[in-house]
Amino acid sequence: MVVELISVGTELLLGNIVNTNAAYLSERCADLGLSCFYQSVVGDNEERLTDVIKTALKRSDILILSGGLGPTADDLTKEVAAKVMGRELIMHEPSRKLIEEFFNKKGSKPTENNWKQAMMPKDAIVVDNENGTAPGVIIEAEGKKVILLPGPPNELIPMFEKNIVPYLSGEKSGIIYSRTVKICGVGESKAETMVKDLIDGQTNPTIAPYAKNCEVHLRVTAKAADEKEAKALLTPVLRELTNRFGANIYSMDKDTTLEKAVVDLLLDKNLTVSTAESCTGGMLAARLINVPGISNVYKSGYITYSNKAKRKILGVKKPLLENKGAVSKETAEAMAKGAAAISKSDVAVAVTGIAGPDGGTDEKPVGLVYIACNVRGKITVKKYN
Protein backbone atom coordinates (compact mmCIF):
# COMPACT_ATOMS: atom_id res chain seq x y z
CA MET A 1 0.00 0.00 0.00
CA VAL A 2 1.20 3.50 -0.86
CA VAL A 3 0.72 6.27 1.69
CA GLU A 4 1.10 9.99 1.02
CA LEU A 5 1.59 12.68 3.65
CA ILE A 6 0.10 16.16 3.35
CA SER A 7 1.02 18.75 5.97
CA VAL A 8 -1.36 21.69 6.08
CA GLY A 9 -0.49 25.12 7.41
CA THR A 10 0.84 28.41 6.06
CA GLU A 11 3.08 28.62 9.14
CA LEU A 12 4.95 25.56 7.84
CA LEU A 13 5.58 27.20 4.48
CA LEU A 14 6.87 30.35 6.19
CA GLY A 15 9.21 28.38 8.41
CA ASN A 16 7.54 29.58 11.60
CA ILE A 17 7.09 25.97 12.72
CA VAL A 18 9.40 23.02 12.06
CA ASN A 19 7.49 20.15 10.44
CA THR A 20 8.25 17.41 12.96
CA ASN A 21 4.95 15.66 12.19
CA ALA A 22 6.13 14.62 8.72
CA ALA A 23 9.30 13.03 10.11
CA TYR A 24 7.35 11.15 12.77
CA LEU A 25 4.65 9.95 10.37
CA SER A 26 7.19 8.90 7.74
CA GLU A 27 9.05 6.71 10.19
CA ARG A 28 5.90 5.15 11.65
CA CYS A 29 4.44 4.41 8.21
CA ALA A 30 7.69 2.69 7.25
CA ASP A 31 7.44 0.63 10.44
CA LEU A 32 3.98 -0.43 9.31
CA GLY A 33 5.29 -1.56 5.92
CA LEU A 34 3.63 1.26 3.99
CA SER A 35 5.52 2.81 1.09
CA CYS A 36 5.68 6.61 1.08
CA PHE A 37 6.72 8.15 -2.25
CA TYR A 38 5.40 11.69 -1.90
CA GLN A 39 5.03 14.34 0.78
CA SER A 40 3.48 17.79 0.38
CA VAL A 41 3.21 20.97 2.42
CA VAL A 42 0.35 23.29 1.50
CA GLY A 43 -0.94 26.50 3.03
CA ASP A 44 -4.38 27.25 4.39
CA ASN A 45 -5.89 27.85 0.95
CA GLU A 46 -8.97 26.02 -0.31
CA GLU A 47 -8.02 25.93 -4.00
CA ARG A 48 -4.44 24.75 -3.47
CA LEU A 49 -5.43 22.21 -0.80
CA THR A 50 -8.08 20.82 -3.16
CA ASP A 51 -5.50 20.38 -5.91
CA VAL A 52 -3.04 18.66 -3.59
CA ILE A 53 -5.64 16.18 -2.32
CA LYS A 54 -6.90 15.38 -5.82
CA THR A 55 -3.37 14.80 -7.07
CA ALA A 56 -2.53 12.58 -4.11
CA LEU A 57 -5.67 10.47 -4.61
CA LYS A 58 -4.57 9.63 -8.15
CA ARG A 59 -1.26 8.10 -7.07
CA SER A 60 -1.65 6.88 -3.49
CA ASP A 61 -3.93 4.49 -1.60
CA ILE A 62 -3.84 6.23 1.77
CA LEU A 63 -3.63 9.97 2.46
CA ILE A 64 -2.65 11.27 5.87
CA LEU A 65 -3.27 14.99 6.38
CA SER A 66 -2.08 16.79 9.49
CA GLY A 67 -3.17 20.24 10.59
CA GLY A 68 -6.05 22.53 9.73
CA LEU A 69 -8.67 20.94 12.00
CA GLY A 70 -8.96 23.88 14.37
CA PRO A 71 -11.96 26.13 15.07
CA THR A 72 -10.94 29.21 13.06
CA ALA A 73 -11.99 30.21 9.57
CA ASP A 74 -8.62 29.36 8.03
CA ASP A 75 -8.80 25.76 9.30
CA LEU A 76 -10.03 24.18 6.09
CA THR A 77 -8.68 20.64 5.97
CA LYS A 78 -11.82 18.77 6.98
CA GLU A 79 -14.10 20.91 4.86
CA VAL A 80 -11.95 20.58 1.73
CA ALA A 81 -11.36 16.85 2.20
CA ALA A 82 -15.08 16.23 2.63
CA LYS A 83 -15.86 18.23 -0.50
CA VAL A 84 -13.27 16.37 -2.59
CA MET A 85 -14.59 13.01 -1.32
CA GLY A 86 -18.20 14.03 -1.99
CA ARG A 87 -19.33 14.01 1.63
CA GLU A 88 -21.57 16.54 3.33
CA LEU A 89 -20.73 17.75 6.85
CA ILE A 90 -23.18 16.93 9.62
CA MET A 91 -23.13 17.53 13.36
CA HIS A 92 -21.52 14.62 15.24
CA GLU A 93 -23.15 14.72 18.65
CA PRO A 94 -20.58 12.56 20.50
CA SER A 95 -17.84 14.96 19.38
CA ARG A 96 -19.92 17.94 20.40
CA LYS A 97 -20.34 16.41 23.84
CA LEU A 98 -16.60 15.70 24.19
CA ILE A 99 -15.74 19.28 23.22
CA GLU A 100 -18.17 20.57 25.83
CA GLU A 101 -16.65 18.27 28.48
CA PHE A 102 -13.14 19.38 27.51
CA PHE A 103 -13.99 23.01 28.22
CA ASN A 104 -15.91 22.18 31.39
CA LYS A 105 -12.80 20.48 32.81
CA LYS A 106 -10.85 23.67 32.11
CA GLY A 107 -13.54 25.77 33.79
CA SER A 108 -14.39 27.68 30.62
CA LYS A 109 -17.02 27.67 27.90
CA PRO A 110 -16.56 26.87 24.21
CA THR A 111 -17.07 29.68 21.73
CA GLU A 112 -19.43 29.31 18.82
CA ASN A 113 -16.65 28.46 16.37
CA ASN A 114 -15.62 25.46 18.48
CA TRP A 115 -18.74 23.63 17.29
CA LYS A 116 -17.20 23.70 13.81
CA GLN A 117 -14.88 20.98 15.09
CA ALA A 118 -17.85 18.70 15.79
CA MET A 119 -19.04 18.85 12.17
CA MET A 120 -18.02 15.58 10.50
CA PRO A 121 -18.19 14.16 6.96
CA LYS A 122 -21.17 11.86 6.62
CA ASP A 123 -20.34 8.16 7.20
CA ALA A 124 -16.79 8.98 8.28
CA ILE A 125 -14.98 7.24 11.13
CA VAL A 126 -14.49 9.76 13.94
CA VAL A 127 -11.39 9.42 16.13
CA ASP A 128 -11.65 10.96 19.59
CA ASN A 129 -8.98 13.45 20.62
CA GLU A 130 -8.05 12.88 24.27
CA ASN A 131 -5.67 15.86 24.33
CA GLY A 132 -7.55 18.59 22.46
CA THR A 133 -10.79 19.64 20.81
CA ALA A 134 -10.12 18.55 17.20
CA PRO A 135 -11.23 14.95 16.55
CA GLY A 136 -9.47 12.91 13.90
CA VAL A 137 -11.36 11.73 10.85
CA ILE A 138 -11.09 8.74 8.50
CA ILE A 139 -12.94 8.89 5.19
CA GLU A 140 -13.15 5.72 3.09
CA ALA A 141 -14.32 5.78 -0.53
CA GLU A 142 -13.63 3.75 -3.68
CA GLY A 143 -10.67 1.92 -2.18
CA LYS A 144 -9.02 5.12 -0.93
CA LYS A 145 -8.54 6.14 2.68
CA VAL A 146 -8.12 9.77 3.77
CA ILE A 147 -6.99 10.23 7.37
CA LEU A 148 -7.19 13.68 8.99
CA LEU A 149 -5.13 14.35 12.11
CA PRO A 150 -4.75 17.47 14.30
CA GLY A 151 -1.54 19.46 13.86
CA PRO A 152 -0.17 19.80 17.42
CA PRO A 153 2.26 16.89 18.00
CA ASN A 154 0.97 16.33 21.55
CA GLU A 155 -2.42 15.57 19.97
CA LEU A 156 -1.32 13.91 16.73
CA ILE A 157 1.15 11.38 18.16
CA PRO A 158 -1.11 9.86 20.87
CA MET A 159 -4.01 9.70 18.41
CA PHE A 160 -1.88 8.03 15.76
CA GLU A 161 -0.42 5.48 18.16
CA LYS A 162 -3.70 4.57 19.85
CA ASN A 163 -6.12 4.67 16.94
CA ILE A 164 -4.46 4.97 13.55
CA VAL A 165 -1.73 2.34 13.99
CA PRO A 166 -4.29 -0.43 14.70
CA TYR A 167 -6.38 0.81 11.77
CA LEU A 168 -3.43 0.82 9.35
CA SER A 169 -2.01 -2.46 10.63
CA GLY A 170 -4.64 -4.27 8.63
CA GLU A 171 -3.29 -2.66 5.45
CA LYS A 172 0.33 -3.72 5.74
CA SER A 173 1.88 -6.44 3.62
CA GLY A 174 5.10 -7.00 5.57
CA ILE A 175 7.38 -4.48 7.22
CA ILE A 176 10.13 -2.08 6.25
CA TYR A 177 13.12 -2.44 8.58
CA SER A 178 16.24 -0.27 8.59
CA ARG A 179 19.61 -0.02 10.28
CA THR A 180 21.78 3.09 10.12
CA VAL A 181 25.53 2.62 9.73
CA LYS A 182 27.15 5.77 11.15
CA ILE A 183 30.57 6.67 9.83
CA CYS A 184 33.05 9.37 10.82
CA GLY A 185 36.40 10.24 9.28
CA VAL A 186 35.24 9.48 5.71
CA GLY A 187 33.68 12.09 3.42
CA GLU A 188 30.39 11.60 1.58
CA SER A 189 31.88 11.25 -1.89
CA LYS A 190 34.49 8.73 -0.75
CA ALA A 191 31.92 6.76 1.24
CA GLU A 192 29.62 6.52 -1.77
CA THR A 193 32.52 5.42 -3.97
CA MET A 194 33.34 2.68 -1.48
CA VAL A 195 29.81 1.24 -1.71
CA LYS A 196 28.90 2.15 -5.29
CA ASP A 197 29.04 -1.46 -6.47
CA LEU A 198 26.64 -2.45 -3.69
CA ILE A 199 24.25 0.39 -4.56
CA ASP A 200 24.36 -0.38 -8.30
CA GLY A 201 23.51 -4.04 -7.67
CA GLN A 202 20.98 -3.57 -4.90
CA THR A 203 17.44 -4.89 -4.90
CA ASN A 204 16.43 -5.80 -1.36
CA PRO A 205 18.01 -4.60 0.94
CA THR A 206 18.86 -1.13 -0.35
CA ILE A 207 21.63 1.25 0.74
CA ALA A 208 21.16 5.03 0.83
CA PRO A 209 23.99 7.41 1.85
CA TYR A 210 23.20 10.61 3.76
CA ALA A 211 25.63 13.44 4.52
CA LYS A 212 25.40 14.63 8.11
CA ASN A 213 27.36 17.25 10.03
CA CYS A 214 30.92 15.83 9.80
CA GLU A 215 29.52 12.33 9.38
CA VAL A 216 28.10 10.01 6.74
CA HIS A 217 25.17 7.72 7.46
CA LEU A 218 24.33 4.69 5.36
CA ARG A 219 20.70 3.68 5.79
CA VAL A 220 20.30 -0.02 4.97
CA THR A 221 16.66 -1.00 4.46
CA ALA A 222 14.95 -4.33 3.88
CA LYS A 223 11.34 -5.13 3.10
CA ALA A 224 10.20 -8.46 4.49
CA ALA A 225 7.29 -10.37 5.95
CA ASP A 226 8.50 -9.80 9.51
CA GLU A 227 11.40 -8.41 11.53
CA LYS A 228 13.22 -11.74 11.74
CA GLU A 229 13.30 -12.11 7.96
CA ALA A 230 14.34 -8.45 7.52
CA LYS A 231 17.25 -8.84 9.95
CA ALA A 232 18.41 -11.94 8.08
CA LEU A 233 18.42 -9.95 4.83
CA LEU A 234 20.39 -7.11 6.43
CA THR A 235 23.05 -9.23 8.12
CA PRO A 236 25.33 -9.93 5.10
CA VAL A 237 25.10 -6.31 3.93
CA LEU A 238 26.01 -4.95 7.37
CA ARG A 239 28.88 -7.42 7.56
CA GLU A 240 30.22 -6.23 4.20
CA LEU A 241 29.97 -2.57 5.22
CA THR A 242 31.89 -3.37 8.40
CA ASN A 243 34.62 -5.01 6.31
CA ARG A 244 34.90 -1.93 4.12
CA PHE A 245 34.72 0.87 6.69
CA GLY A 246 36.16 -0.85 9.74
CA ALA A 247 36.87 1.43 12.69
CA ASN A 248 35.32 4.41 10.89
CA ILE A 249 31.94 2.95 11.85
CA TYR A 250 31.11 4.22 15.31
CA SER A 251 27.57 2.88 15.61
CA MET A 252 24.71 1.04 13.92
CA ASP A 253 22.16 2.34 16.40
CA LYS A 254 20.01 5.18 15.08
CA ASP A 255 19.83 6.77 18.53
CA THR A 256 23.60 6.79 19.20
CA THR A 257 25.37 10.08 18.53
CA LEU A 258 29.11 10.41 17.99
CA GLU A 259 29.57 11.94 21.43
CA LYS A 260 27.61 9.10 23.05
CA ALA A 261 29.80 6.56 21.26
CA VAL A 262 32.88 8.36 22.64
CA VAL A 263 31.49 8.41 26.19
CA ASP A 264 30.54 4.73 25.93
CA LEU A 265 34.12 3.89 24.93
CA LEU A 266 35.52 5.88 27.84
CA LEU A 267 33.19 4.13 30.26
CA ASP A 268 33.99 0.74 28.79
CA LYS A 269 37.75 1.33 29.04
CA ASN A 270 37.47 3.03 32.44
CA LEU A 271 39.20 6.18 31.15
CA THR A 272 38.72 9.76 32.32
CA VAL A 273 38.85 12.71 29.92
CA SER A 274 39.48 16.45 29.92
CA THR A 275 39.30 19.04 27.17
CA ALA A 276 41.36 22.12 26.31
CA GLU A 277 39.82 24.45 23.75
CA SER A 278 40.84 27.61 21.99
CA CYS A 279 38.87 28.28 18.78
CA THR A 280 35.90 26.10 19.78
CA GLY A 281 35.40 28.00 23.03
CA GLY A 282 33.80 25.15 24.97
CA MET A 283 31.70 23.58 22.20
CA LEU A 284 33.58 20.28 22.40
CA ALA A 285 32.95 20.06 26.13
CA ALA A 286 29.29 20.99 25.59
CA ARG A 287 28.72 18.06 23.22
CA LEU A 288 30.24 15.62 25.70
CA ILE A 289 28.34 17.09 28.65
CA ASN A 290 25.03 16.38 26.87
CA VAL A 291 25.57 12.61 27.20
CA PRO A 292 24.07 10.82 30.23
CA GLY A 293 26.80 9.18 32.29
CA ILE A 294 29.46 11.73 31.35
CA SER A 295 29.97 12.68 35.01
CA ASN A 296 31.65 9.32 35.54
CA VAL A 297 34.43 10.10 33.06
CA TYR A 298 34.66 13.86 32.45
CA LYS A 299 37.05 15.67 34.78
CA SER A 300 37.77 19.21 33.55
CA GLY A 301 37.36 21.58 30.66
CA TYR A 302 39.66 24.52 29.92
CA ILE A 303 38.83 27.38 27.56
CA THR A 304 42.21 28.97 26.84
CA TYR A 305 41.38 31.45 24.13
CA SER A 306 44.27 33.82 24.69
CA ASN A 307 47.98 33.03 24.64
CA LYS A 308 48.17 34.17 28.24
CA ALA A 309 45.54 31.61 29.25
CA LYS A 310 47.40 28.89 27.37
CA ARG A 311 50.54 29.76 29.34
CA LYS A 312 48.97 30.33 32.77
CA ILE A 313 46.46 27.48 32.77
CA LEU A 314 47.94 24.79 30.55
CA GLY A 315 51.62 25.57 30.93
CA VAL A 316 52.30 26.17 27.22
CA LYS A 317 55.75 27.78 27.01
CA LYS A 318 56.00 31.39 25.85
CA PRO A 319 58.89 30.70 23.39
CA LEU A 320 56.82 27.96 21.75
CA LEU A 321 53.90 30.34 21.23
CA GLU A 322 56.20 33.04 19.87
CA ASN A 323 58.06 30.73 17.50
CA LYS A 324 55.31 28.37 16.33
CA GLY A 325 52.18 30.41 17.03
CA ALA A 326 48.98 29.62 18.91
CA VAL A 327 47.69 27.70 15.90
CA SER A 328 50.27 25.01 15.37
CA LYS A 329 50.92 21.31 15.81
CA GLU A 330 53.30 22.04 18.67
CA THR A 331 50.85 24.22 20.58
CA ALA A 332 48.03 21.69 20.23
CA GLU A 333 50.35 19.01 21.58
CA ALA A 334 51.41 21.19 24.51
CA MET A 335 47.76 22.00 25.33
CA ALA A 336 46.83 18.30 25.41
CA LYS A 337 49.85 17.51 27.54
CA GLY A 338 49.07 20.33 29.99
CA ALA A 339 45.36 19.49 30.27
CA ALA A 340 46.11 15.88 31.15
CA ALA A 341 48.76 16.89 33.68
CA ILE A 342 46.72 19.41 35.64
CA SER A 343 43.47 17.42 35.59
CA LYS A 344 45.16 14.06 36.10
CA SER A 345 42.91 12.56 33.42
CA ASP A 346 43.73 9.54 31.26
CA VAL A 347 42.72 11.30 28.07
CA ALA A 348 42.96 14.94 27.04
CA VAL A 349 41.75 16.46 23.78
CA ALA A 350 42.97 19.91 22.68
CA VAL A 351 41.74 22.09 19.85
CA THR A 352 43.34 25.25 18.45
CA GLY A 353 42.61 26.98 15.18
CA ILE A 354 41.63 30.06 13.23
CA ALA A 355 37.86 30.37 13.34
CA GLY A 356 37.66 33.58 11.28
CA PRO A 357 36.25 35.56 9.71
CA ASP A 358 39.50 37.49 10.20
CA GLY A 359 42.98 36.52 11.29
CA GLY A 360 43.95 34.18 8.49
CA THR A 361 47.14 34.39 6.42
CA ASP A 362 48.42 32.59 3.34
CA GLU A 363 50.43 30.31 5.61
CA LYS A 364 47.62 29.84 8.13
CA PRO A 365 44.25 30.43 6.46
CA VAL A 366 40.88 30.76 8.17
CA GLY A 367 39.64 27.26 8.95
CA LEU A 368 43.02 25.82 9.87
CA VAL A 369 42.60 23.62 12.96
CA TYR A 370 44.93 21.35 14.92
CA ILE A 371 43.44 18.67 17.16
CA ALA A 372 45.59 16.82 19.66
CA CYS A 373 44.61 13.68 21.57
CA ASN A 374 46.67 12.62 24.56
CA VAL A 375 45.98 9.07 25.77
CA ARG A 376 48.10 8.29 28.82
CA GLY A 377 51.06 10.20 27.45
CA LYS A 378 50.79 9.06 23.83
CA ILE A 379 49.91 12.20 21.87
CA THR A 380 48.55 12.26 18.33
CA VAL A 381 48.06 15.56 16.51
CA LYS A 382 46.13 16.02 13.27
CA LYS A 383 45.85 19.03 11.02
CA TYR A 384 42.54 19.94 9.40
CA ASN A 385 41.40 22.68 7.07
Side-chain angles (χ1 to χ4, degrees):
M1 298 290 282
V2 177
V3 64
E4 185 159 342
L5 306 181
I6 302 173
S7 304
V8 183
T10 303
E11 66 275 11
L12 296 171
L13 292 173
L14 295 175
N16 299 138
I17 295 177
V18 177
N19 192 2
T20 58
N21 286 341
Y24 162 76
L25 291 170
S26 297
E27 185 171 18
R28 293 299 284 121
C29 286
D31 293 339
L32 292 167
L34 302 172
S35 299
C36 182
F37 301 138
Y38 298 96
Q39 294 184 17
S40 302
V41 180
V42 61
D44 302 298
N45 177 278
E46 182 176 355
E47 182 179 352
R48 289 189 285 273
L49 181 54
T50 298
D51 289 342
V52 168
I53 294 174
K54 286 182 176 179
T55 300
L57 285 170
K58 292 176 184 177
R59 61 195 182 193
S60 302
D61 306 300
I62 303 168
L63 276 57
I64 301 179
L65 290 85
S66 59
L69 299 182
T72 61
D74 64 343
D75 290 310
L76 302 166
T77 301
K78 183 172 52 185
E79 289 75 10
V80 173
K83 187 175 181 181
V84 172
M85 301 296 283
R87 302 290 181 89
E88 65 174 316
L89 291 172
I90 59 175
M91 177 58 68
H92 186 253
E93 288 300 332
S95 293
R96 180 185 176 93
K97 184 178 180 181
L98 286 173
I99 291 171
E100 191 170 29
E101 290 175 355
F102 180 88
F103 280 95
N104 287 339
K105 288 178 182 177
K106 293 175 63 178
S108 59
K109 293 183 178 181
T111 56
E112 193 60 33
N113 57 1
N114 280 118
W115 304 127
K116 171 178 180 284
Q117 296 178 292
M119 298 294 290
M120 295 295 161
K122 188 177 180 180
D123 298 324
I125 301 171
V126 179
V127 183
D128 292 341
N129 186 344
E130 297 178 2
N131 300 282
T133 58
V137 183
I138 302 173
I139 307 172
E140 299 176 335
E142 299 178 2
K144 304 287 184 176
K145 303 177 190 301
V146 178
I147 301 171
L148 313 181
L149 300 173
N154 66 313
E155 299 177 30
L156 179 146
I157 293 173
M159 183 182 292
F160 190 86
E161 293 296 336
K162 182 177 180 179
N163 302 103
I164 307 303
V165 167
Y167 174 79
L168 291 176
S169 293
E171 303 297 328
K172 69 179 182 179
S173 54
I175 66 163
I176 297 173
Y177 183 82
S178 296
R179 291 288 298 277
T180 302
V181 179
K182 298 186 175 183
I183 300 164
C184 61
V186 179
E188 181 189 18
S189 57
K190 183 178 179 181
E192 185 183 34
T193 301
M194 290 173 67
V195 296
K196 191 173 187 306
D197 60 315
L198 299 177
I199 293 175
D200 290 344
Q202 68 188 6
T203 51
N204 183 30
T206 59
I207 301 173
Y210 299 95
K212 299 293 182 177
N213 187 20
C214 303
E215 301 176 26
V216 176
H217 293 181
L218 300 177
R219 184 178 175 90
V220 188
T221 304
K223 190 162 188 178
D226 53 41
E227 187 173 314
K228 182 179 179 180
E229 181 185 335
K231 286 181 176 179
L233 288 169
L234 291 183
T235 296
V237 179
L238 297 175
R239 187 182 298 120
E240 180 60 27
L241 292 175
T242 300
N243 290 336
R244 297 189 185 196
F245 290 98
N248 290 105
I249 297 175
Y250 72 84
S251 180
M252 291 189 185
D253 181 352
K254 69 176 182 177
D255 296 322
T256 297
T257 60
L258 181 57
E259 50 266 39
K260 185 180 186 305
V262 170
V263 173
D264 287 346
L265 276 172
L266 292 166
L267 289 166
D268 183 59
K269 302 297 182 182
N270 196 28
L271 297 172
T272 55
V273 66
S274 294
T275 55
E277 303 179 62
S278 183
C279 62
T280 47
M283 291 191 290
L284 174 58
R287 284 189 66 171
L288 290 170
I289 293 298
N290 278 332
V291 180
I294 185 65
S295 58
N296 295 310
V297 294
Y298 191 78
K299 297 195 76 172
S300 301
Y302 309 99
I303 302 174
T304 55
Y305 212 74
S306 68
N307 283 357
K308 183 176 181 181
K310 291 178 179 66
R311 297 197 317 268
K312 297 291 186 180
I313 298 173
L314 299 176
V316 181
K317 301 300 183 182
K318 186 174 183 179
L320 188 154
L321 290 166
E322 291 175 344
N323 294 328
K324 298 297 183 178
V327 181
S328 64
K329 175 181 180 293
E330 292 79 6
T331 296
E333 184 175 355
M335 290 171 64
K337 185 176 181 180
I342 60 175
S343 66
K344 293 182 172 54
S345 58
D346 300 304
V347 180
V349 180
V351 185
T352 182
I354 302 172
D358 304 316
T361 65
D362 291 339
E363 183 183 353
K364 295 183 178 182
V366 169
L368 173 65
V369 176
Y370 289 93
I371 302 175
C373 185
N374 180 357
V375 182
R376 290 177 171 164
K378 183 179 178 180
I379 303 177
T380 303
V381 184
K382 291 194 176 183
K383 174 184 177 181
Y384 297 92
N385 285 289

